[in-house]
Each structure stands twice: as structure tokens, then as C-alpha cells.
Amino acid sequence: MMTTSRDVLLWVDTETTAIRPEEGELLEIGMRVTDMTGNPLPGPEGRYSRVIHPTNGIRLTCGTMEPILGMHRDNGLIRESLLSGTGPDETAEDACQWIVDIQTKLDPDRLIIAGTNIQFDIDWITSKLPALADGLNSLTDYHRMDMTALRLALATLGPHQHEHTTHRVDDCLDRDTNEYQQTISILRHTKE
């Protein structure tokens, strides 16, 4: 896949209360835009994040109570979601408008979705924010850039440390874009 300078990466991350959408709630969504080397594009409009208020509360199951809910209790996301999050419909509409604004401002040849295990995030968005999923399908390229694949490939070269996060979308997206830039640097170095 050949890239041009007019291609843009749309980094996406979600935070949830379960592994599968049918078992939990979507609590937070974040997006960033960078060029193909992972450099942020100028302006605060290149970043988007929203805490989502689950319309039917948060369901507890044996499989999610401690590992996932404990993590999001400790990082404050559950409290923030229940007290001040934006509803799913409003979040989907707002996020779609943000992507349209990015498309209009940047006019990229391709807007390529990127992230860690990105299909996980797409599945959650499709299930919980279907209007946003429609917007992503119509406004982005069909190619995906998955950090998991890059990390696995780098692991074949030797030990690769994966940076841990607070499991909030801004922190995870910072990690992803930083690791992506490091990966690009490694690839450039091996090419020389």
C-alpha cells in the first residue's frame, strides 16, 4: 500500500466496561489526526474525546466487575461517566461533525483509521454509536493501521516494551502515536 503526503491517520480509542459490546457499556471515545509519520496536525481541533453517559446505567457481571470496572473506578472514568458524560446519541452526532470538519479542513486523499486492536473499537462504535459507525464508514478509507500488528512485528526483532496507560482515551492515544513514531524511526533506521 503506497501512501502519499495527503493521507491522514485517524486514531481511535474507546474505553468500555466489558470485552464484548453486548455485555457492557461504552464509557469514553477519543480520536486524533496525524500525518502518516504520526506527527500531530496543527490546532486543538486535531483531538477529540468525550466521556459517554450510559443511558441504562452500568451492568455488572462476574467477568467484568473487578478487572474492567475496578480499572475504570480507579482512573475515575466510571464516576465521570455517570455524573457528567454526554449521551450516546449526542456523542455520535458530535463525533461525526468533528470528522466532517477534519475532512473539510484537511481534504486528505485518504483518512485511514488507526489504533491498537482497532477492530475492537470499531465493533464497540458499531454496536453503541451506530450513527458514528455510519459516518466512519462513509468518510474513511477501507484500510486500517493496527498498532498490535506493528508491536508483534517489532517483537520478532527482540524484546519490545509496551507502554502501559491509565486506560483513558487521551493517554492511550498518546501512547499509540508515540509508539507509532518510534516504529517509523526504527523502520527508517533499518532502511539506511
Side-chain angles (χ1 to χ4, degrees), residues 6-68:
R6 298 205 17 91
D7 290 337
V8 173
L9 293 173
L10 173 65
W11 296 86
V12 178
D13 186 57
T14 60
E15 293 298 334
T16 69
T17 64
I19 300 299
R20 290 183 287 282
E22 62 274 12
E23 295 176 357
E25 307 306 323
L26 180 60
L27 298 178
E28 190 176 35
I29 183 169
M31 295 183 283
R32 301 263 174 88
V33 288
T34 69
D35 64 18
M36 289 303 291
T37 62
N39 290 313
L41 296 171
E45 61 278 350
R47 301 169 64 102
Y48 176 93
S49 63
R50 291 293 179 275
V51 174
I52 301 169
H53 180 77
T55 48
N56 297 319
I58 295 176
R59 293 174 281 160
L60 299 176
T61 67
C62 291
T64 63
M65 192 177 308
E66 196 45 43
I68 295 173

Coordinates of all heavy atoms in Angstrom, one line a residue, residues 6-68:
R6 N -0.7 13.3 1.3 CA -2.1 13.7 1.6 C -2.9 12.7 2.3 O -4.1 12.9 2.5 CB -2.8 14.2 0.3 CG -2.0 15.3 -0.3 CD -2.8 16.2 -1.3 NE -4.2 16.2 -1.2 CZ -5.0 17.0 -0.5 NH1 -4.4 17.8 0.4 NH2 -6.3 16.9 -0.5
D7 N -2.3 11.6 2.7 CA -3.0 10.6 3.5 C -2.9 11.0 5.0 O -1.9 11.6 5.4 CB -2.4 9.2 3.4 CG -2.6 8.6 2.0 OD1 -3.6 9.0 1.4 OD2 -1.8 7.7 1.6
V8 N -4.0 10.8 5.8 CA -4.0 11.2 7.2 C -4.5 10.0 8.0 O -5.3 9.2 7.5 CB -5.0 12.3 7.3 CG1 -5.2 12.7 8.8 CG2 -4.5 13.6 6.6
L9 N -3.9 9.8 9.2 CA -4.3 8.7 10.1 C -5.3 9.3 11.1 O -5.1 10.4 11.7 CB -3.1 8.2 10.9 CG -2.1 7.4 10.0 CD1 -0.9 7.1 10.9 CD2 -2.7 6.2 9.4
L10 N -6.4 8.6 11.2 CA -7.5 8.9 12.2 C -7.3 7.9 13.3 O -7.7 6.8 13.2 CB -8.9 8.9 11.6 CG -10.0 9.1 12.6 CD1 -10.0 10.5 13.2 CD2 -11.3 8.8 11.9
W11 N -6.7 8.3 14.4 CA -6.5 7.4 15.6 C -7.8 7.3 16.4 O -8.4 8.4 16.7 CB -5.3 7.9 16.4 CG -4.0 7.9 15.7 CD1 -3.6 8.9 14.9 CD2 -3.1 6.8 15.7 NE1 -2.3 8.5 14.3 CE2 -2.0 7.2 14.8 CE3 -3.0 5.6 16.3 CZ2 -0.9 6.4 14.6 CZ3 -1.9 4.8 16.0 CH2 -0.9 5.2 15.2
V12 N -8.2 6.1 16.8 CA -9.4 5.9 17.5 C -9.2 5.0 18.7 O -8.5 4.0 18.6 CB -10.5 5.3 16.6 CG1 -11.8 5.0 17.4 CG2 -10.8 6.1 15.4
D13 N -9.8 5.4 19.9 CA -9.7 4.5 21.0 C -11.0 4.6 21.8 O -11.7 5.7 21.8 CB -8.6 4.9 22.0 CG -8.4 4.0 23.1 OD1 -8.2 2.8 22.9 OD2 -8.5 4.4 24.3
T14 N -11.4 3.5 22.4 CA -12.6 3.5 23.2 C -12.3 2.9 24.6 O -11.3 2.1 24.7 CB -13.8 2.7 22.6 OG1 -13.3 1.3 22.4 CG2 -14.2 3.3 21.3
E15 N -13.0 3.3 25.6 CA -12.9 2.6 26.9 C -14.3 2.1 27.2 O -15.3 2.7 27.0 CB -12.5 3.6 28.0 CG -11.0 4.1 27.8 CD -10.0 3.0 27.9 OE1 -10.3 2.0 28.5 OE2 -8.9 3.2 27.3
T16 N -14.3 0.8 27.7 CA -15.6 0.1 27.9 C -15.6 -0.6 29.2 O -14.6 -0.7 29.9 CB -15.7 -0.9 26.8 OG1 -14.7 -2.0 27.0 CG2 -15.5 -0.3 25.4
T17 N -16.8 -1.2 29.5 CA -16.9 -2.0 30.8 C -16.9 -3.5 30.6 O -17.1 -4.2 31.5 CB -18.3 -1.6 31.5 OG1 -19.3 -2.0 30.7 CG2 -18.3 -0.1 31.8
A18 N -16.6 -3.9 29.3 CA -16.6 -5.3 29.0 C -15.8 -5.5 27.8 O -15.4 -4.6 27.1 CB -18.0 -5.9 28.8
I19 N -15.5 -6.8 27.5 CA -14.8 -7.1 26.2 C -15.7 -7.1 25.0 O -15.4 -6.6 24.0 CB -14.1 -8.5 26.3 CG1 -13.1 -8.5 27.5 CG2 -13.4 -8.9 25.0 CD1 -12.0 -7.5 27.4
R20 N -16.9 -7.6 25.2 CA -17.9 -7.6 24.1 C -19.0 -6.6 24.3 O -19.5 -6.5 25.4 CB -18.5 -9.1 24.0 CG -17.5 -10.1 23.5 CD -18.1 -11.5 23.4 NE -18.4 -12.1 24.6 CZ -17.5 -12.7 25.4 NH1 -16.2 -12.7 25.0 NH2 -17.9 -13.3 26.5
P21 N -19.4 -5.9 23.2 CA -20.4 -4.8 23.4 C -21.7 -5.3 24.0 O -22.3 -4.5 24.7 CB -20.6 -4.4 21.9 CG -19.3 -4.7 21.2 CD -18.8 -6.0 21.9
E22 N -22.1 -6.5 23.7 CA -23.4 -7.0 24.2 C -23.4 -7.2 25.7 O -24.4 -7.4 26.3 CB -23.9 -8.3 23.5 CG -22.9 -9.5 23.6 CD -21.8 -9.5 22.6 OE1 -21.6 -8.6 21.9 OE2 -21.2 -10.6 22.6
E23 N -22.2 -7.2 26.3 CA -22.1 -7.4 27.8 C -21.8 -6.2 28.6 O -21.7 -6.2 29.8 CB -21.0 -8.4 28.0 CG -21.3 -9.8 27.4 CD -20.1 -10.8 27.6 OE1 -19.1 -10.4 28.2 OE2 -20.3 -12.0 27.2
G24 N -21.6 -5.0 27.9 CA -21.2 -3.9 28.7 C -21.6 -2.5 28.1 O -22.4 -2.5 27.2
E25 N -20.9 -1.5 28.6 CA -21.2 -0.1 28.2 C -20.0 0.5 27.6 O -18.9 0.3 28.0 CB -21.7 0.7 29.4 CG -22.9 0.1 30.1 CD -24.1 -0.3 29.2 OE1 -24.4 0.5 28.3 OE2 -24.7 -1.3 29.5
L26 N -20.2 1.4 26.7 CA -19.1 2.3 26.1 C -19.0 3.5 27.0 O -20.0 4.2 27.2 CB -19.5 2.7 24.7 CG -18.5 3.5 24.0 CD1 -17.1 2.9 23.8 CD2 -19.0 3.8 22.6
L27 N -17.9 3.8 27.6 CA -17.7 4.9 28.6 C -17.0 6.1 28.0 O -17.2 7.2 28.5 CB -16.9 4.4 29.8 CG -17.6 3.3 30.7 CD1 -16.6 3.0 31.8 CD2 -18.9 3.7 31.2
E28 N -16.1 5.9 27.0 CA -15.3 7.0 26.5 C -14.9 6.7 25.1 O -14.6 5.6 24.8 CB -14.1 7.2 27.5 CG -13.3 8.5 27.2 CD -12.2 8.7 28.2 OE1 -11.6 7.7 28.7 OE2 -12.0 9.8 28.6
I29 N -14.8 7.8 24.3 CA -14.2 7.6 22.9 C -13.3 8.8 22.7 O -13.5 9.9 23.2 CB -15.4 7.6 21.9 CG1 -14.7 7.4 20.5 CG2 -16.2 8.9 21.9 CD1 -15.8 7.1 19.4
G30 N -12.2 8.5 22.0 CA -11.2 9.5 21.7 C -10.7 9.3 20.3 O -10.7 8.2 19.8
M31 N -10.4 10.4 19.6 CA -9.9 10.4 18.2 C -8.8 11.5 18.1 O -8.8 12.5 18.8 CB -11.0 10.6 17.2 CG -12.0 9.5 17.2 SD -13.3 9.7 15.9 CE -14.3 11.0 16.7
R32 N -7.8 11.2 17.2 CA -6.8 12.2 16.9 C -6.5 12.1 15.4 O -6.8 11.0 14.8 CB -5.4 11.8 17.6 CG -5.5 11.7 19.0 CD -4.9 13.0 19.7 NE -5.1 12.9 21.1 CZ -4.2 12.5 21.9 NH1 -3.1 12.0 21.5 NH2 -4.4 12.5 23.2
V33 N -6.0 13.1 14.8 CA -5.5 13.0 13.5 C -4.0 13.3 13.4 O -3.5 14.3 14.1 CB -6.3 13.9 12.5 CG1 -7.7 13.4 12.3 CG2 -6.3 15.4 13.0
T34 N -3.3 12.6 12.7 CA -1.8 12.8 12.5 C -1.5 12.6 11.0 O -2.3 12.0 10.2 CB -1.0 11.8 13.3 OG1 -1.1 10.5 12.7 CG2 -1.3 11.8 14.8
D35 N -0.3 13.0 10.6 CA 0.1 12.7 9.3 C 0.6 11.2 9.3 O 0.5 10.5 10.3 CB 1.2 13.6 8.8 CG 2.5 13.6 9.6 OD1 2.7 12.6 10.4 OD2 3.3 14.5 9.5
M36 N 1.1 10.7 8.2 CA 1.4 9.3 8.1 C 2.6 8.9 8.9 O 2.9 7.7 9.0 CB 1.6 8.9 6.6 CG 0.3 8.9 5.9 SD -1.0 7.8 6.6 CE -0.3 6.2 6.3
T37 N 3.4 9.9 9.4 CA 4.5 9.6 10.3 C 4.1 9.7 11.7 O 5.0 9.5 12.6 CB 5.7 10.5 10.0 OG1 5.4 11.8 10.2 CG2 6.2 10.3 8.5
G38 N 2.9 10.0 12.0 CA 2.4 10.1 13.4 C 2.5 11.5 14.0 O 2.2 11.7 15.2
N39 N 3.0 12.5 13.2 CA 3.1 13.8 13.8 C 1.7 14.5 13.8 O 0.9 14.4 12.9 CB 4.0 14.7 12.9 CG 5.4 14.3 13.0 OD1 5.9 14.1 14.1 ND2 6.1 14.1 11.9
P40 N 1.3 15.1 15.0 CA 0.0 15.7 15.1 C -0.1 16.8 14.1 O 0.8 17.5 13.7 CB 0.0 16.2 16.5 CG 1.3 15.9 17.1 CD 2.2 15.2 16.1
L41 N -1.4 16.9 13.6 CA -1.7 18.0 12.7 C -2.0 19.3 13.6 O -2.5 19.1 14.7 CB -2.8 17.7 11.8 CG -2.3 16.5 10.9 CD1 -3.5 15.9 10.1 CD2 -1.2 16.9 9.9
P42 N -1.7 20.5 13.1 CA -1.8 21.6 13.9 C -3.2 21.9 14.4 O -4.2 21.6 13.7 CB -1.2 22.8 13.0 CG -1.2 22.2 11.7 CD -1.2 20.7 11.7
G43 N -3.2 22.6 15.6 CA -4.5 23.1 16.1 C -5.2 22.1 17.1 O -5.0 20.9 17.0
P44 N -5.9 22.6 18.0 CA -6.6 21.8 19.0 C -7.7 20.9 18.4 O -8.1 20.0 19.0 CB -7.2 22.8 20.0 CG -7.3 24.1 19.2 CD -6.2 24.0 18.2
E45 N -8.2 21.3 17.2 CA -9.2 20.5 16.5 C -8.7 19.2 16.0 O -9.5 18.4 15.6 CB -9.8 21.3 15.4 CG -8.9 21.7 14.3 CD -8.0 22.9 14.5 OE1 -8.3 23.7 15.5 OE2 -7.1 23.2 13.7
G46 N -7.5 18.9 16.2 CA -6.9 17.6 15.8 C -7.1 16.5 16.9 O -6.6 15.4 16.7
R47 N -7.8 16.9 18.0 CA -8.0 16.0 19.1 C -9.5 16.0 19.5 O -10.1 17.1 19.5 CB -7.2 16.4 20.3 CG -5.7 16.5 20.1 CD -5.0 17.2 21.2 NE -5.1 16.4 22.5 CZ -4.2 15.7 23.0 NH1 -3.0 15.6 22.4 NH2 -4.4 15.1 24.1
Y48 N -10.0 14.8 19.8 CA -11.4 14.7 20.2 C -11.5 13.7 21.3 O -11.0 12.6 21.1 CB -12.3 14.3 19.0 CG -13.7 14.1 19.3 CD1 -14.7 15.1 19.2 CD2 -14.2 12.9 19.8 CE1 -16.0 14.9 19.5 CE2 -15.5 12.7 20.2 CZ -16.4 13.7 20.0 OH -17.7 13.5 20.4
S49 N -12.2 14.0 22.4 CA -12.5 13.0 23.4 C -13.8 13.4 24.1 O -14.0 14.5 24.3 CB -11.3 12.8 24.3 OG -11.1 13.9 25.1
R50 N -14.6 12.3 24.4 CA -15.8 12.5 25.1 C -16.0 11.4 26.1 O -15.8 10.2 25.7 CB -17.0 12.6 24.2 CG -17.1 13.8 23.3 CD -17.4 15.0 24.0 NE -17.5 16.2 23.1 CZ -16.4 16.9 22.7 NH1 -15.2 16.5 23.1 NH2 -16.6 17.9 21.9
V51 N -16.5 11.7 27.3 CA -17.0 10.7 28.2 C -18.4 10.5 27.9 O -19.2 11.5 27.7 CB -16.8 11.2 29.7 CG1 -17.4 10.2 30.6 CG2 -15.3 11.4 29.9
I52 N -18.9 9.2 27.9 CA -20.2 8.9 27.5 C -21.0 8.5 28.7 O -20.6 7.6 29.5 CB -20.2 7.8 26.4 CG1 -19.4 8.3 25.2 CG2 -21.6 7.4 26.1 CD1 -19.1 7.2 24.2
H53 N -22.2 9.0 28.8 CA -23.1 8.6 29.9 C -24.0 7.5 29.5 O -24.8 7.7 28.5 CB -24.0 9.8 30.3 CG -24.9 9.5 31.4 ND1 -24.5 9.4 32.8 CD2 -26.2 9.2 31.4 CE1 -25.6 9.1 33.5 NE2 -26.6 9.0 32.7
P54 N -23.8 6.3 30.0 CA -24.7 5.2 29.6 C -26.1 5.4 30.0 O -26.5 5.7 31.1 CB -24.1 4.0 30.4 CG -23.3 4.5 31.5 CD -22.9 5.9 31.1
T55 N -27.0 5.3 29.0 CA -28.4 5.6 29.2 C -29.1 4.7 30.2 O -30.0 5.1 30.9 CB -29.2 5.6 27.9 OG1 -28.9 4.4 27.2 CG2 -28.8 6.8 27.0
N56 N -28.7 3.4 30.3 CA -29.3 2.5 31.2 C -28.4 2.1 32.3 O -28.5 1.0 32.9 CB -29.7 1.2 30.4 CG -30.7 1.5 29.3 OD1 -31.7 2.3 29.5 ND2 -30.6 1.0 28.1
G57 N -27.5 2.9 32.7 CA -26.6 2.6 33.8 C -25.5 1.7 33.4 O -25.3 1.4 32.2
I58 N -24.8 1.1 34.4 CA -23.7 0.2 34.1 C -24.1 -1.2 34.7 O -24.4 -1.3 35.9 CB -22.4 0.7 34.7 CG1 -22.0 2.0 34.0 CG2 -21.3 -0.3 34.6 CD1 -20.7 2.7 34.6
R59 N -24.0 -2.1 33.8 CA -24.4 -3.5 34.2 C -23.1 -4.2 34.8 O -22.0 -4.0 34.3 CB -24.8 -4.3 33.0 CG -26.1 -3.9 32.4 CD -26.5 -4.6 31.2 NE -25.7 -4.0 30.1 CZ -25.4 -4.6 28.9 NH1 -25.8 -5.8 28.7 NH2 -24.7 -4.0 28.0
L60 N -23.3 -4.9 35.9 CA -22.3 -5.7 36.5 C -22.4 -7.2 36.2 O -23.5 -7.7 36.3 CB -22.3 -5.5 38.0 CG -22.1 -4.1 38.5 CD1 -22.3 -4.0 40.0 CD2 -20.8 -3.5 38.1
T61 N -21.3 -7.8 35.8 CA -21.3 -9.2 35.6 C -20.0 -9.8 36.3 O -19.1 -9.0 36.6 CB -21.2 -9.6 34.1 OG1 -19.9 -9.2 33.6 CG2 -22.3 -9.0 33.3
C62 N -20.0 -11.0 36.6 CA -18.8 -11.7 37.2 C -17.6 -11.4 36.4 O -16.5 -11.2 37.0 CB -19.1 -13.2 37.4 SG -20.4 -13.5 38.6
G63 N -17.7 -11.5 35.1 CA -16.5 -11.3 34.3 C -16.0 -9.9 34.2 O -14.8 -9.7 33.8
T64 N -16.8 -8.9 34.5 CA -16.3 -7.5 34.3 C -16.2 -6.8 35.6 O -15.5 -5.7 35.6 CB -17.3 -6.7 33.4 OG1 -18.6 -6.7 34.0 CG2 -17.4 -7.4 32.0
M65 N -16.8 -7.3 36.7 CA -16.8 -6.5 37.9 C -15.4 -6.0 38.4 O -15.2 -4.8 38.6 CB -17.5 -7.2 39.0 CG -17.8 -6.4 40.2 SD -18.7 -7.2 41.5 CE -20.1 -7.9 40.7
E66 N -14.5 -6.9 38.5 CA -13.2 -6.5 39.1 C -12.2 -6.0 38.1 O -11.7 -4.9 38.2 CB -12.6 -7.6 40.0 CG -11.5 -7.1 40.9 CD -11.8 -5.8 41.6 OE1 -12.9 -5.6 42.1 OE2 -10.9 -4.9 41.6
P67 N -11.9 -6.8 37.0 CA -10.8 -6.4 36.1 C -11.1 -5.1 35.4 O -10.3 -4.2 35.4 CB -10.6 -7.5 35.2 CG -11.8 -8.3 35.2 CD -12.5 -8.1 36.6
I68 N -12.3 -4.9 34.8 CA -12.5 -3.7 34.0 C -13.1 -2.6 34.8 O -12.7 -1.5 34.8 CB -13.4 -4.1 32.8 CG1 -12.6 -5.0 31.9 CG2 -13.8 -2.9 32.0 CD1 -13.4 -5.6 30.7

